[in-house]
Amino acid sequence: MDGVIVDSMPYHVRAWEVYLERQGRDAQTLNARMHGKHNDELLRDVFGSELSIEDIQRMGSEKEALYRELIETELEASLLPGVRQFLMENSLIPKAVASNAEAANVNFVLDRAELGGFFLHALNGQMVKYGKPHPEIYLKASELLEIEPKDWIVFEDSQTGINAAVAAGMRVIAINSHRTSLIGQAVEADHFLDSRLHKWLEEQT
């Protein structure tokens, strides 16, 4: 979802900046440290490994609530170019969201952007024991939709996500809107209007 359906990274970064500043912590290197990480990993990175599970859950929830507050009025403008049109054009193909994000964020984006109806299932990071780069969330989606991993096409924006999908035996389209260095994907595109994406999809049929 993040980085594929919605360009949420600037709002996550800003939410962390505001949150950490309120906690008296330095957030200057945050962007490079947070991509593809769970909240518990990032919080331990910033505050130390002695944080309790209760503290991590509380602090993570506070930051995510701040993120939703920041992006709410900008959500439609933050959708990746062409994503709504792409979902409409492929509405008959079974689809699922498989995100490391917490349930509240997944539901918020899909509900507020009115995209939830395009997906038969929406999996979040709280539904699996192991987050990406472990393939668990993609294998779970495969089971729910009763589609073999080899027949899946996954859209990912991070190396962590690509590794998870490849480990699950799935083909990957990298939506590389932030121009990072990625490996393991079958094809790379900037967004859903990118001709490289449509050319590759046409070759698969």
Side-chain angles (χ1 to χ4, degrees):
M1 182 186 71
D2 291 302
V4 174
I5 292 175
V6 59
D7 185 14
S8 56
M9 184 61 73
Y11 299 94
H12 279 295
V13 171
R14 182 56 185 153
W16 274 119
E17 287 173 345
V18 172
Y19 186 77
L20 293 180
E21 286 167 2
R22 290 176 180 175
Q23 304 296 318
R25 301 288 174 140
D26 182 15
Q28 289 186 353
T29 63
L30 190 64
N31 200 357
R33 296 160 71 185
M34 68 177 290
H35 199 54
K37 284 188 177 179
H38 277 250
N39 282 349
D40 58 346
E41 295 176 289
L42 187 58
L43 285 166
R44 286 195 173 100
D45 185 19
V46 173
F47 290 94
S49 59
E50 68 277 4
L51 277 182
S52 68
I53 294 176
E54 291 76 16
D55 284 337
I56 288 172
Q57 290 175 338
R58 173 184 58 80
M59 296 169 79
S61 294
E62 289 170 352
K63 176 266 165 181
E64 296 306 334
L66 183 56
Y67 154 75
R68 293 190 294 273
E69 179 183 330
L70 290 172
I71 200 174
E72 183 171 14
T73 59
E74 303 296 329
L75 184 57
E76 185 65 30
S78 299
L79 296 180
L80 259 69
V83 66
R84 188 181 297 279
Q85 178 183 345
F86 184 85
L87 289 171
M88 292 175 64
E89 290 173 350
N90 293 279
S91 61
L92 298 181
I93 297 175
K95 289 177 291 297
V97 170
S99 174
N100 267 355
E102 66 173 47
N105 285 358
V106 174
N107 294 336
F108 173 83
V109 169
L110 295 181
D111 291 346
R112 294 298 178 92
E114 299 183 346
L115 297 177
F118 291 108
F119 301 97
L120 296 177
H121 296 279
L123 285 72
N124 60 72
Q126 295 164 303
M127 297 173 68
V128 293
K129 182 176 181 181
Y130 303 105
K132 302 170 188 177
H134 195 282
E136 181 183 2
I137 196 165
Y138 282 122
L139 294 175
K140 187 177 183 70
S142 177
E143 292 175 3
L144 288 172
L145 266 68
E146 298 182 343
I147 298 173
E148 291 295 319
K150 65 180 179 63
D151 296 322
W152 278 76
I153 295 174
V154 173
F155 293 81
E156 270 290 355
D157 77 307
S158 71
Q159 192 61 59
T160 300
I162 292 173
N163 291 347
V166 171
M170 300 175 176
R171 293 169 290 169
V172 182
I173 295 173
I175 300 296
N176 196 0
S177 56
H178 291 279
R179 307 295 198 280
T180 54
S181 178
L182 301 172
I183 60 172
Q185 63 270 21
V187 67
E188 186 172 305
D190 292 339
H191 44 65
F192 289 87
L193 300 176
D194 196 316
S195 60
R196 293 172 295 175
L197 163 62
H198 295 278
K199 182 177 184 296
W200 185 84
L201 287 174
E202 289 171 0
E203 293 170 351
Q204 309 312 303
T205 58

